[in-house]
Amino acid sequence: MVCKQKGRGVSTLYIVATPIGNLDDLSPRAVKVLAGVDLVVAEDTRHSGRLLQHLGLHKAMLALHDYNERQRLDAVLARLAEGQSVALISDAGTPLISDPGYLLVSEARKQGFRVSPIPGCCALIAALSAAGLATDRFSFHGFLPTKRKARQAALEALRQDISTLVFYEAPHRILETADALIEVFGASRDVVFARELTKAFESFYTGTAEAVRAQLADDPYAEKGEYVVMVAGAPRDTEVGTPAVDADRLLALLLPELPVKKAARIVADATGLGRNELYQRALALKQG
Ligand code: SAM
């Protein structure tokens, strides 16, 4: 359906991006829109209240979280129906990107209201723009599952993906995540971990998964701050699943000489295949 963005009356739901660290990144247009709306819908009204205060704005606010989005929908849609304008903001960055707002935006559109983005910061785009990884194809996967098995499965499903993979990650899981990347994508896959973007301690950890794991382990501040994790896509010539080196043949040569785990690790490094998968293949070969 083509939406002509006329909407009912003049009421508009603005989706306003806010800074991810540096307040100077808020655009003049965003400030103008926030100043002009009747209601600001925010994830954490105390947190966003401080941003509005910093701008010298006193606005009616309504809290909208993932857990109460459905209940709050009617209140926000009623304001739009009365001809009021509403701005949706999140704690940081672009609303709806690993943040609440999807139900509100889809329902507002269904009901014919005008929905308009006020673009600005988004951690994943900022990270990608400076990472030095290919950006012609990328895919964003939000936060990885926190349970080990589910996380490994989520990563396994992406192992042959040729697009640059982008994740958000919590700092206390950053070393575990680096280990999981080595296990699934191999120690030699290029990765970039972007930390504290736009803030005083902004840092980029770049190199192979193994090198980045070592940089993180050496940095006493690594488990603090906010992270975007990026993984280079699978080499395009392995897209059809045929690595240049025959993994089974290499395993068969190494297994009589080495423990299964070590053989799997060496073959993972040589082929770019995942350690986990090779470990299972090595066990099967040994038993068969
Ligand atoms: N809506 C936001 C956006 O547009 O990027 C993302 C919200 S999500 C709840 C928060 C996650 O984004 C953090 O846990 C971190 O992974 C990432 N993030 C946010 N700000 C960041 C920053 N300054 N540096 C690195 N990562 C950041």
PDB file of all heavy atoms in Angstrom, residues 18-21 43 90-99 121-125 127 140 143 167-171 194-199 225-229, ligand 1:
ATOM      1  N   THR A  18      17.544  10.134  19.225  1.00  0.00           N
ATOM      2  CA  THR A  18      18.254  10.955  20.220  1.00  0.00           C
ATOM      3  C   THR A  18      19.713  10.474  20.290  1.00  0.00           C
ATOM      4  O   THR A  18      20.036   9.404  19.762  1.00  0.00           O
ATOM      5  CB  THR A  18      17.563  10.864  21.592  1.00  0.00           C
ATOM      6  OG1 THR A  18      17.508   9.495  21.969  1.00  0.00           O
ATOM      7  CG2 THR A  18      16.162  11.466  21.560  1.00  0.00           C
ATOM      8  N   PRO A  19      20.602  11.210  20.948  1.00  0.00           N
ATOM      9  CA  PRO A  19      22.023  10.819  20.970  1.00  0.00           C
ATOM     10  C   PRO A  19      22.279   9.462  21.627  1.00  0.00           C
ATOM     11  O   PRO A  19      21.496   9.002  22.463  1.00  0.00           O
ATOM     12  CB  PRO A  19      22.675  11.937  21.783  1.00  0.00           C
ATOM     13  CG  PRO A  19      21.763  13.106  21.613  1.00  0.00           C
ATOM     14  CD  PRO A  19      20.387  12.529  21.559  1.00  0.00           C
ATOM     15  N   ILE A  20      23.412   8.838  21.262  1.00  0.00           N
ATOM     16  CA  ILE A  20      23.816   7.573  21.903  1.00  0.00           C
ATOM     17  C   ILE A  20      24.980   7.831  22.869  1.00  0.00           C
ATOM     18  O   ILE A  20      25.667   6.910  23.270  1.00  0.00           O
ATOM     19  CB  ILE A  20      24.189   6.489  20.861  1.00  0.00           C
ATOM     20  CG1 ILE A  20      25.273   6.993  19.899  1.00  0.00           C
ATOM     21  CG2 ILE A  20      22.965   6.029  20.090  1.00  0.00           C
ATOM     22  CD1 ILE A  20      25.874   5.890  19.011  1.00  0.00           C
ATOM     23  N   GLY A  21      25.193   9.069  23.206  1.00  0.00           N
ATOM     24  CA  GLY A  21      26.289   9.383  24.136  1.00  0.00           C
ATOM     25  C   GLY A  21      26.562  10.884  24.145  1.00  0.00           C
ATOM     26  O   GLY A  21      26.483  11.542  25.178  1.00  0.00           O
ATOM     27  N   GLU A  43      10.704   5.779  26.710  1.00  0.00           N
ATOM     28  CA  GLU A  43      10.892   4.508  27.414  1.00  0.00           C
ATOM     29  C   GLU A  43      10.980   4.769  28.914  1.00  0.00           C
ATOM     30  O   GLU A  43      10.245   4.217  29.700  1.00  0.00           O
ATOM     31  CB  GLU A  43      12.264   3.985  26.973  1.00  0.00           C
ATOM     32  CG  GLU A  43      12.283   2.737  26.228  1.00  0.00           C
ATOM     33  CD  GLU A  43      13.717   2.309  26.023  1.00  0.00           C
ATOM     34  OE1 GLU A  43      14.532   3.096  25.492  1.00  0.00           O
ATOM     35  OE2 GLU A  43      14.019   1.168  26.385  1.00  0.00           O
ATOM     36  N   SER A  90      13.481   7.062  22.442  1.00  0.00           N
ATOM     37  CA  SER A  90      13.909   5.983  23.342  1.00  0.00           C
ATOM     38  C   SER A  90      15.062   6.511  24.199  1.00  0.00           C
ATOM     39  O   SER A  90      15.459   7.663  24.059  1.00  0.00           O
ATOM     40  CB  SER A  90      14.277   4.726  22.564  1.00  0.00           C
ATOM     41  OG  SER A  90      15.179   5.024  21.548  1.00  0.00           O
ATOM     42  N   ASP A  91      15.596   5.657  25.073  1.00  0.00           N
ATOM     43  CA  ASP A  91      16.657   6.143  25.970  1.00  0.00           C
ATOM     44  C   ASP A  91      17.857   6.664  25.180  1.00  0.00           C
ATOM     45  O   ASP A  91      18.511   7.618  25.587  1.00  0.00           O
ATOM     46  CB  ASP A  91      17.126   5.011  26.902  1.00  0.00           C
ATOM     47  CG  ASP A  91      16.097   4.705  27.979  1.00  0.00           C
ATOM     48  OD1 ASP A  91      15.092   5.439  28.064  1.00  0.00           O
ATOM     49  OD2 ASP A  91      16.298   3.730  28.731  1.00  0.00           O
ATOM     50  N   ALA A  92      18.145   6.001  24.067  1.00  0.00           N
ATOM     51  CA  ALA A  92      19.284   6.421  23.246  1.00  0.00           C
ATOM     52  C   ALA A  92      19.081   5.903  21.833  1.00  0.00           C
ATOM     53  O   ALA A  92      18.568   4.806  21.642  1.00  0.00           O
ATOM     54  CB  ALA A  92      20.583   5.848  23.804  1.00  0.00           C
ATOM     55  N   GLY A  93      19.459   6.717  20.863  1.00  0.00           N
ATOM     56  CA  GLY A  93      19.424   6.266  19.467  1.00  0.00           C
ATOM     57  C   GLY A  93      18.045   6.312  18.852  1.00  0.00           C
ATOM     58  O   GLY A  93      17.182   7.121  19.226  1.00  0.00           O
ATOM     59  N   THR A  94      17.838   5.412  17.906  1.00  0.00           N
ATOM     60  CA  THR A  94      16.617   5.415  17.102  1.00  0.00           C
ATOM     61  C   THR A  94      15.571   4.491  17.720  1.00  0.00           C
ATOM     62  O   THR A  94      15.862   3.314  17.953  1.00  0.00           O
ATOM     63  CB  THR A  94      16.948   4.961  15.661  1.00  0.00           C
ATOM     64  OG1 THR A  94      17.927   5.860  15.121  1.00  0.00           O
ATOM     65  CG2 THR A  94      15.721   4.983  14.769  1.00  0.00           C
ATOM     66  N   PRO A  95      14.369   5.008  18.000  1.00  0.00           N
ATOM     67  CA  PRO A  95      13.306   4.137  18.515  1.00  0.00           C
ATOM     68  C   PRO A  95      13.065   2.967  17.567  1.00  0.00           C
ATOM     69  O   PRO A  95      13.337   3.054  16.354  1.00  0.00           O
ATOM     70  CB  PRO A  95      12.085   5.070  18.562  1.00  0.00           C
ATOM     71  CG  PRO A  95      12.658   6.444  18.686  1.00  0.00           C
ATOM     72  CD  PRO A  95      13.927   6.408  17.872  1.00  0.00           C
ATOM     73  N   LEU A  96      12.557   1.877  18.140  1.00  0.00           N
ATOM     74  CA  LEU A  96      12.248   0.625  17.407  1.00  0.00           C
ATOM     75  C   LEU A  96      13.481  -0.224  17.074  1.00  0.00           C
ATOM     76  O   LEU A  96      13.352  -1.378  16.690  1.00  0.00           O
ATOM     77  CB  LEU A  96      11.455   0.854  16.108  1.00  0.00           C
ATOM     78  CG  LEU A  96       9.938   1.033  16.283  1.00  0.00           C
ATOM     79  CD1 LEU A  96       9.598   2.475  16.645  1.00  0.00           C
ATOM     80  CD2 LEU A  96       9.189   0.636  15.036  1.00  0.00           C
ATOM     81  N   ILE A  97      14.677   0.367  17.136  1.00  0.00           N
ATOM     82  CA  ILE A  97      15.879  -0.434  16.854  1.00  0.00           C
ATOM     83  C   ILE A  97      16.331  -1.020  18.187  1.00  0.00           C
ATOM     84  O   ILE A  97      16.939  -0.321  19.015  1.00  0.00           O
ATOM     85  CB  ILE A  97      16.999   0.429  16.207  1.00  0.00           C
ATOM     86  CG1 ILE A  97      16.482   1.159  14.959  1.00  0.00           C
ATOM     87  CG2 ILE A  97      18.201  -0.449  15.868  1.00  0.00           C
ATOM     88  CD1 ILE A  97      15.940   0.267  13.840  1.00  0.00           C
ATOM     89  N   SER A  98      15.958  -2.289  18.430  1.00  0.00           N
ATOM     90  CA  SER A  98      16.141  -2.939  19.744  1.00  0.00           C
ATOM     91  C   SER A  98      15.537  -2.082  20.848  1.00  0.00           C
ATOM     92  O   SER A  98      16.075  -2.005  21.951  1.00  0.00           O
ATOM     93  CB  SER A  98      17.621  -3.213  20.042  1.00  0.00           C
ATOM     94  OG  SER A  98      18.111  -4.223  19.225  1.00  0.00           O
ATOM     95  N   ASP A  99      14.480  -1.419  20.550  1.00  0.00           N
ATOM     96  CA  ASP A  99      13.770  -0.549  21.491  1.00  0.00           C
ATOM     97  C   ASP A  99      12.276  -0.604  21.198  1.00  0.00           C
ATOM     98  O   ASP A  99      11.884  -0.987  20.092  1.00  0.00           O
ATOM     99  CB  ASP A  99      14.274   0.904  21.324  1.00  0.00           C
ATOM    100  CG  ASP A  99      15.421   1.212  22.271  1.00  0.00           C
ATOM    101  OD1 ASP A  99      15.513   0.545  23.317  1.00  0.00           O
ATOM    102  OD2 ASP A  99      16.208   2.119  21.967  1.00  0.00           O
ATOM    103  N   CYS A 121      21.050   9.517  15.421  1.00  0.00           N
ATOM    104  CA  CYS A 121      21.960   8.451  15.868  1.00  0.00           C
ATOM    105  C   CYS A 121      21.314   7.079  15.869  1.00  0.00           C
ATOM    106  O   CYS A 121      20.144   6.924  16.211  1.00  0.00           O
ATOM    107  CB  CYS A 121      22.409   8.726  17.299  1.00  0.00           C
ATOM    108  SG  CYS A 121      23.449  10.164  17.413  1.00  0.00           S
ATOM    109  N   CYS A 122      22.124   6.110  15.526  1.00  0.00           N
ATOM    110  CA  CYS A 122      21.761   4.707  15.670  1.00  0.00           C
ATOM    111  C   CYS A 122      23.092   3.974  15.846  1.00  0.00           C
ATOM    112  O   CYS A 122      23.977   4.079  14.986  1.00  0.00           O
ATOM    113  CB  CYS A 122      21.025   4.223  14.426  1.00  0.00           C
ATOM    114  SG  CYS A 122      20.558   2.494  14.572  1.00  0.00           S
ATOM    115  N   ALA A 123      23.240   3.277  16.963  1.00  0.00           N
ATOM    116  CA  ALA A 123      24.552   2.693  17.293  1.00  0.00           C
ATOM    117  C   ALA A 123      25.058   1.769  16.190  1.00  0.00           C
ATOM    118  O   ALA A 123      26.237   1.784  15.854  1.00  0.00           O
ATOM    119  CB  ALA A 123      24.480   1.971  18.629  1.00  0.00           C
ATOM    120  N   LEU A 124      24.156   0.957  15.612  1.00  0.00           N
ATOM    121  CA  LEU A 124      24.641  -0.012  14.624  1.00  0.00           C
ATOM    122  C   LEU A 124      25.170   0.677  13.371  1.00  0.00           C
ATOM    123  O   LEU A 124      26.182   0.261  12.782  1.00  0.00           O
ATOM    124  CB  LEU A 124      23.557  -1.044  14.299  1.00  0.00           C
ATOM    125  CG  LEU A 124      22.441  -0.720  13.311  1.00  0.00           C
ATOM    126  CD1 LEU A 124      22.734  -1.361  11.958  1.00  0.00           C
ATOM    127  CD2 LEU A 124      21.132  -1.270  13.821  1.00  0.00           C
ATOM    128  N   ILE A 125      24.519   1.762  12.955  1.00  0.00           N
ATOM    129  CA  ILE A 125      24.959   2.467  11.739  1.00  0.00           C
ATOM    130  C   ILE A 125      26.261   3.230  12.027  1.00  0.00           C
ATOM    131  O   ILE A 125      27.186   3.227  11.212  1.00  0.00           O
ATOM    132  CB  ILE A 125      23.852   3.427  11.237  1.00  0.00           C
ATOM    133  CG1 ILE A 125      22.581   2.639  10.867  1.00  0.00           C
ATOM    134  CG2 ILE A 125      24.328   4.262  10.055  1.00  0.00           C
ATOM    135  CD1 ILE A 125      22.743   1.647   9.728  1.00  0.00           C
ATOM    136  N   ALA A 127      28.505   2.398  14.186  1.00  0.00           N
ATOM    137  CA  ALA A 127      29.567   1.398  14.300  1.00  0.00           C
ATOM    138  C   ALA A 127      30.007   0.909  12.923  1.00  0.00           C
ATOM    139  O   ALA A 127      31.199   0.874  12.606  1.00  0.00           O
ATOM    140  CB  ALA A 127      29.078   0.230  15.152  1.00  0.00           C
ATOM    141  N   PHE A 140      21.359  -7.048  10.678  1.00  0.00           N
ATOM    142  CA  PHE A 140      21.364  -6.698  12.100  1.00  0.00           C
ATOM    143  C   PHE A 140      20.545  -7.730  12.846  1.00  0.00           C
ATOM    144  O   PHE A 140      19.439  -8.073  12.432  1.00  0.00           O
ATOM    145  CB  PHE A 140      20.762  -5.295  12.264  1.00  0.00           C
ATOM    146  CG  PHE A 140      20.572  -4.888  13.695  1.00  0.00           C
ATOM    147  CD1 PHE A 140      21.645  -4.867  14.577  1.00  0.00           C
ATOM    148  CD2 PHE A 140      19.323  -4.529  14.173  1.00  0.00           C
ATOM    149  CE1 PHE A 140      21.477  -4.500  15.901  1.00  0.00           C
ATOM    150  CE2 PHE A 140      19.141  -4.148  15.493  1.00  0.00           C
ATOM    151  CZ  PHE A 140      20.222  -4.134  16.352  1.00  0.00           C
ATOM    152  N   PHE A 143      20.193  -8.240  20.046  1.00  0.00           N
ATOM    153  CA  PHE A 143      20.970  -8.901  21.095  1.00  0.00           C
ATOM    154  C   PHE A 143      20.931 -10.413  20.868  1.00  0.00           C
ATOM    155  O   PHE A 143      19.862 -10.970  20.581  1.00  0.00           O
ATOM    156  CB  PHE A 143      20.370  -8.589  22.473  1.00  0.00           C
ATOM    157  CG  PHE A 143      20.600  -7.168  22.915  1.00  0.00           C
ATOM    158  CD1 PHE A 143      19.659  -6.181  22.657  1.00  0.00           C
ATOM    159  CD2 PHE A 143      21.760  -6.820  23.588  1.00  0.00           C
ATOM    160  CE1 PHE A 143      19.870  -4.871  23.065  1.00  0.00           C
ATOM    161  CE2 PHE A 143      21.982  -5.511  23.993  1.00  0.00           C
ATOM    162  CZ  PHE A 143      21.038  -4.536  23.732  1.00  0.00           C
ATOM    163  N   PHE A 167      25.556  -7.110  15.831  1.00  0.00           N
ATOM    164  CA  PHE A 167      24.828  -7.463  17.054  1.00  0.00           C
ATOM    165  C   PHE A 167      25.011  -6.355  18.086  1.00  0.00           C
ATOM    166  O   PHE A 167      26.014  -5.639  18.059  1.00  0.00           O
ATOM    167  CB  PHE A 167      25.415  -8.746  17.682  1.00  0.00           C
ATOM    168  CG  PHE A 167      25.502  -9.905  16.742  1.00  0.00           C
ATOM    169  CD1 PHE A 167      26.655 -10.142  15.989  1.00  0.00           C
ATOM    170  CD2 PHE A 167      24.434 -10.774  16.589  1.00  0.00           C
ATOM    171  CE1 PHE A 167      26.740 -11.214  15.115  1.00  0.00           C
ATOM    172  CE2 PHE A 167      24.506 -11.855  15.716  1.00  0.00           C
ATOM    173  CZ  PHE A 167      25.660 -12.076  14.987  1.00  0.00           C
ATOM    174  N   TYR A 168      24.074  -6.248  18.991  1.00  0.00           N
ATOM    175  CA  TYR A 168      24.286  -5.460  20.199  1.00  0.00           C
ATOM    176  C   TYR A 168      24.665  -6.445  21.299  1.00  0.00           C
ATOM    177  O   TYR A 168      24.193  -7.599  21.291  1.00  0.00           O
ATOM    178  CB  TYR A 168      22.996  -4.713  20.590  1.00  0.00           C
ATOM    179  CG  TYR A 168      22.697  -3.502  19.717  1.00  0.00           C
ATOM    180  CD1 TYR A 168      21.412  -2.954  19.679  1.00  0.00           C
ATOM    181  CD2 TYR A 168      23.689  -2.895  18.949  1.00  0.00           C
ATOM    182  CE1 TYR A 168      21.130  -1.845  18.885  1.00  0.00           C
ATOM    183  CE2 TYR A 168      23.411  -1.790  18.157  1.00  0.00           C
ATOM    184  CZ  TYR A 168      22.130  -1.263  18.133  1.00  0.00           C
ATOM    185  OH  TYR A 168      21.864  -0.165  17.356  1.00  0.00           O
ATOM    186  N   GLU A 169      25.500  -6.007  22.227  1.00  0.00           N
ATOM    187  CA  GLU A 169      25.884  -6.921  23.305  1.00  0.00           C
ATOM    188  C   GLU A 169      26.132  -6.169  24.608  1.00  0.00           C
ATOM    189  O   GLU A 169      26.596  -5.017  24.597  1.00  0.00           O
ATOM    190  CB  GLU A 169      27.137  -7.724  22.893  1.00  0.00           C
ATOM    191  CG  GLU A 169      27.481  -8.861  23.811  1.00  0.00           C
ATOM    192  CD  GLU A 169      26.309  -9.824  24.097  1.00  0.00           C
ATOM    193  OE1 GLU A 169      25.395  -9.438  24.866  1.00  0.00           O
ATOM    194  OE2 GLU A 169      26.300 -10.942  23.568  1.00  0.00           O
ATOM    195  N   ALA A 170      25.804  -6.826  25.705  1.00  0.00           N
ATOM    196  CA  ALA A 170      26.026  -6.232  27.027  1.00  0.00           C
ATOM    197  C   ALA A 170      27.493  -6.437  27.413  1.00  0.00           C
ATOM    198  O   ALA A 170      28.088  -7.466  27.074  1.00  0.00           O
ATOM    199  CB  ALA A 170      25.111  -6.914  28.036  1.00  0.00           C
ATOM    200  N   PRO A 171      28.082  -5.474  28.131  1.00  0.00           N
ATOM    201  CA  PRO A 171      29.524  -5.553  28.423  1.00  0.00           C
ATOM    202  C   PRO A 171      29.911  -6.783  29.250  1.00  0.00           C
ATOM    203  O   PRO A 171      30.982  -7.343  29.029  1.00  0.00           O
ATOM    204  CB  PRO A 171      29.798  -4.261  29.203  1.00  0.00           C
ATOM    205  CG  PRO A 171      28.466  -3.759  29.650  1.00  0.00           C
ATOM    206  CD  PRO A 171      27.473  -4.239  28.643  1.00  0.00           C
ATOM    207  N   ALA A 194      32.901  -2.400  18.622  1.00  0.00           N
ATOM    208  CA  ALA A 194      32.901  -0.941  18.788  1.00  0.00           C
ATOM    209  C   ALA A 194      32.318  -0.619  20.160  1.00  0.00           C
ATOM    210  O   ALA A 194      31.219  -1.048  20.481  1.00  0.00           O
ATOM    211  CB  ALA A 194      32.070  -0.289  17.696  1.00  0.00           C
ATOM    212  N   ARG A 195      33.074   0.104  20.966  1.00  0.00           N
ATOM    213  CA  ARG A 195      32.669   0.348  22.355  1.00  0.00           C
ATOM    214  C   ARG A 195      32.500   1.848  22.629  1.00  0.00           C
ATOM    215  O   ARG A 195      33.302   2.652  22.144  1.00  0.00           O
ATOM    216  CB  ARG A 195      33.746  -0.241  23.260  1.00  0.00           C
ATOM    217  CG  ARG A 195      33.567  -0.004  24.717  1.00  0.00           C
ATOM    218  CD  ARG A 195      34.599  -0.777  25.516  1.00  0.00           C
ATOM    219  NE  ARG A 195      34.694  -0.201  26.831  1.00  0.00           N
ATOM    220  CZ  ARG A 195      35.604   0.683  27.190  1.00  0.00           C
ATOM    221  NH1 ARG A 195      36.532   1.085  26.355  1.00  0.00           N
ATOM    222  NH2 ARG A 195      35.593   1.168  28.397  1.00  0.00           N
ATOM    223  N   GLU A 196      31.466   2.208  23.341  1.00  0.00           N
ATOM    224  CA  GLU A 196      31.266   3.576  23.826  1.00  0.00           C
ATOM    225  C   GLU A 196      31.305   4.624  22.705  1.00  0.00           C
ATOM    226  O   GLU A 196      31.971   5.668  22.828  1.00  0.00           O
ATOM    227  CB  GLU A 196      32.310   3.903  24.906  1.00  0.00           C
ATOM    228  CG  GLU A 196      32.146   3.102  26.189  1.00  0.00           C
ATOM    229  CD  GLU A 196      30.938   3.557  26.988  1.00  0.00           C
ATOM    230  OE1 GLU A 196      29.833   3.041  26.710  1.00  0.00           O
ATOM    231  OE2 GLU A 196      31.070   4.429  27.851  1.00  0.00           O
ATOM    232  N   LEU A 197      30.590   4.342  21.633  1.00  0.00           N
ATOM    233  CA  LEU A 197      30.591   5.247  20.479  1.00  0.00           C
ATOM    234  C   LEU A 197      30.121   6.649  20.875  1.00  0.00           C
ATOM    235  O   LEU A 197      29.160   6.788  21.634  1.00  0.00           O
ATOM    236  CB  LEU A 197      29.664   4.691  19.386  1.00  0.00           C
ATOM    237  CG  LEU A 197      30.165   3.398  18.756  1.00  0.00           C
ATOM    238  CD1 LEU A 197      29.048   2.708  17.980  1.00  0.00           C
ATOM    239  CD2 LEU A 197      31.358   3.660  17.855  1.00  0.00           C
ATOM    240  N   THR A 198      30.787   7.613  20.350  1.00  0.00           N
ATOM    241  CA  THR A 198      30.525   9.055  20.546  1.00  0.00           C
ATOM    242  C   THR A 198      30.840   9.532  21.964  1.00  0.00           C
ATOM    243  O   THR A 198      30.610  10.697  22.294  1.00  0.00           O
ATOM    244  CB  THR A 198      29.067   9.492  20.189  1.00  0.00           C
ATOM    245  OG1 THR A 198      28.178   9.120  21.262  1.00  0.00           O
ATOM    246  CG2 THR A 198      28.559   8.897  18.895  1.00  0.00           C
ATOM    247  N   LYS A 199      31.357   8.655  22.809  1.00  0.00           N
ATOM    248  CA  LYS A 199      31.658   9.032  24.204  1.00  0.00           C
ATOM    249  C   LYS A 199      33.170   9.178  24.394  1.00  0.00           C
ATOM    250  O   LYS A 199      33.952   8.850  23.506  1.00  0.00           O
ATOM    251  CB  LYS A 199      31.107   7.983  25.166  1.00  0.00           C
ATOM    252  CG  LYS A 199      29.609   7.726  25.000  1.00  0.00           C
ATOM    253  CD  LYS A 199      29.110   6.809  26.081  1.00  0.00           C
ATOM    254  CE  LYS A 199      27.844   6.109  25.644  1.00  0.00           C
ATOM    255  NZ  LYS A 199      27.380   5.143  26.617  1.00  0.00           N
ATOM    256  N   GLY A 225      30.880  -0.408  29.650  1.00  0.00           N
ATOM    257  CA  GLY A 225      30.473   0.379  28.474  1.00  0.00           C
ATOM    258  C   GLY A 225      29.540  -0.385  27.561  1.00  0.00           C
ATOM    259  O   GLY A 225      29.149  -1.512  27.842  1.00  0.00           O
ATOM    260  N   GLU A 226      29.193   0.261  26.455  1.00  0.00           N
ATOM    261  CA  GLU A 226      28.218  -0.320  25.522  1.00  0.00           C
ATOM    262  C   GLU A 226      28.930  -0.781  24.249  1.00  0.00           C
ATOM    263  O   GLU A 226      29.884  -0.139  23.805  1.00  0.00           O
ATOM    264  CB  GLU A 226      27.162   0.721  25.171  1.00  0.00           C
ATOM    265  CG  GLU A 226      26.411   1.201  26.406  1.00  0.00           C
ATOM    266  CD  GLU A 226      25.200   2.010  26.022  1.00  0.00           C
ATOM    267  OE1 GLU A 226      25.383   3.207  25.716  1.00  0.00           O
ATOM    268  OE2 GLU A 226      24.107   1.464  26.001  1.00  0.00           O
ATOM    269  N   TYR A 227      28.424  -1.869  23.681  1.00  0.00           N
ATOM    270  CA  TYR A 227      29.116  -2.483  22.538  1.00  0.00           C
ATOM    271  C   TYR A 227      28.218  -2.741  21.337  1.00  0.00           C
ATOM    272  O   TYR A 227      27.079  -3.194  21.492  1.00  0.00           O
ATOM    273  CB  TYR A 227      29.652  -3.854  22.922  1.00  0.00           C
ATOM    274  CG  TYR A 227      30.987  -3.835  23.619  1.00  0.00           C
ATOM    275  CD1 TYR A 227      31.055  -3.816  25.006  1.00  0.00           C
ATOM    276  CD2 TYR A 227      32.169  -3.852  22.895  1.00  0.00           C
ATOM    277  CE1 TYR A 227      32.279  -3.820  25.663  1.00  0.00           C
ATOM    278  CE2 TYR A 227      33.396  -3.854  23.539  1.00  0.00           C
ATOM    279  CZ  TYR A 227      33.445  -3.842  24.913  1.00  0.00           C
ATOM    280  OH  TYR A 227      34.649  -3.843  25.549  1.00  0.00           O
ATOM    281  N   VAL A 228      28.809  -2.529  20.155  1.00  0.00           N
ATOM    282  CA  VAL A 228      28.257  -3.098  18.925  1.00  0.00           C
ATOM    283  C   VAL A 228      29.303  -4.103  18.428  1.00  0.00           C
ATOM    284  O   VAL A 228      30.491  -3.773  18.345  1.00  0.00           O
ATOM    285  CB  VAL A 228      28.013  -2.020  17.847  1.00  0.00           C
ATOM    286  CG1 VAL A 228      27.442  -2.668  16.577  1.00  0.00           C
ATOM    287  CG2 VAL A 228      27.062  -0.938  18.360  1.00  0.00           C
ATOM    288  N   VAL A 229      28.854  -5.319  18.166  1.00  0.00           N
ATOM    289  CA  VAL A 229      29.751  -6.389  17.714  1.00  0.00           C
ATOM    290  C   VAL A 229      29.484  -6.665  16.242  1.00  0.00           C
ATOM    291  O   VAL A 229      28.322  -6.858  15.855  1.00  0.00           O
ATOM    292  CB  VAL A 229      29.494  -7.665  18.553  1.00  0.00           C
ATOM    293  CG1 VAL A 229      30.260  -8.860  17.992  1.00  0.00           C
ATOM    294  CG2 VAL A 229      29.864  -7.418  20.020  1.00  0.00           C
TER     295      VAL A 229
HETATM  296  N1  SAM B   1      17.906   2.255  19.746  1.00  0.00           N
HETATM  297  C1  SAM B   1      19.313   2.203  19.955  1.00  0.00           C
HETATM  298  C2  SAM B   1      20.042   2.503  18.654  1.00  0.00           C
HETATM  299  O1  SAM B   1      19.471   3.138  17.787  1.00  0.00           O
HETATM  300  O2  SAM B   1      21.204   2.122  18.500  1.00  0.00           O
HETATM  301  C3  SAM B   1      19.738   0.888  20.570  1.00  0.00           C
HETATM  302  C4  SAM B   1      19.065   0.571  21.869  1.00  0.00           C
HETATM  303  S1  SAM B   1      19.563  -0.945  22.576  1.00  0.00           S
HETATM  304  C5  SAM B   1      18.445  -1.082  23.925  1.00  0.00           C
HETATM  305  C6  SAM B   1      21.012  -0.487  23.456  1.00  0.00           C
HETATM  306  C7  SAM B   1      22.254  -1.164  22.874  1.00  0.00           C
HETATM  307  O3  SAM B   1      22.744  -0.414  21.764  1.00  0.00           O
HETATM  308  C8  SAM B   1      23.416  -1.211  23.855  1.00  0.00           C
HETATM  309  O4  SAM B   1      23.334  -2.305  24.740  1.00  0.00           O
HETATM  310  C9  SAM B   1      24.601  -1.336  22.905  1.00  0.00           C
HETATM  311  O5  SAM B   1      24.723  -2.665  22.459  1.00  0.00           O
HETATM  312  C10 SAM B   1      24.147  -0.431  21.751  1.00  0.00           C
HETATM  313  N2  SAM B   1      24.628   0.947  21.977  1.00  0.00           N
HETATM  314  C11 SAM B   1      23.893   2.005  22.346  1.00  0.00           C
HETATM  315  N3  SAM B   1      24.671   3.092  22.485  1.00  0.00           N
HETATM  316  C12 SAM B   1      25.929   2.697  22.185  1.00  0.00           C
HETATM  317  C13 SAM B   1      27.204   3.356  22.141  1.00  0.00           C
HETATM  318  N4  SAM B   1      27.333   4.647  22.457  1.00  0.00           N
HETATM  319  N5  SAM B   1      28.291   2.636  21.788  1.00  0.00           N
HETATM  320  C14 SAM B   1      28.171   1.333  21.466  1.00  0.00           C
HETATM  321  N6  SAM B   1      27.007   0.657  21.501  1.00  0.00           N
HETATM  322  C15 SAM B   1      25.906   1.327  21.841  1.00  0.00           C
END
